[in-house]
Amino acid sequence: MYAVINDRGNQIRVVEGEILDVDLLEAEAGSEIVFGEVLLCSDDSGVKVGKPALEGVEVVAEVLGESKGKKVHGVSFRRRKNSKVRKGHRQHFSRVRIKEIRA
């Protein structure tokens, strides 16, 4: 059984028991969150597609903590001006475990 959820503009395919990183949440480690906007749900009976979201289907996840992504470097460069700037950035994520898909 799997589902496709919409989390603040990001569509994510989730399976029960899967651990994944989502954009930073205002939730403490150990708490539960519910993703209510489920776009697609697949189980033994078949695939259900919402228009745009399914009614009565939700995904429950447990927050495991925070993590950081890979470092990304951005470079600003102006040729023949002796001007170079290199900046780094690491995105913060919340790591969650999908507990169940309630259909």
Side-chain angles (χ1 to χ4, degrees), residues 47-97:
V47 177
K48 298 179 203 114
V49 179
K51 295 180 183 176
L54 291 170
E55 297 290 327
V57 180
E58 58 189 15
V59 175
V60 179
E62 176 188 2
V63 178
L64 301 177
E66 293 183 11
S67 64
K68 289 184 180 181
K70 287 181 64 174
K71 189 161 210 172
V72 178
H73 295 284
V75 178
S76 297
F77 175 76
R78 293 183 189 94
R79 63 185 186 145
R80 297 187 303 269
K81 304 292 186 213
N82 198 18
S83 173
K84 289 184 259 185
V85 178
R86 183 174 186 236
K87 295 180 182 178
H89 173 74
R90 286 185 76 179
Q91 186 71 33
H92 292 268
F93 294 106
S94 291
R95 183 157 285 175
V96 298
R97 177 186 294 125

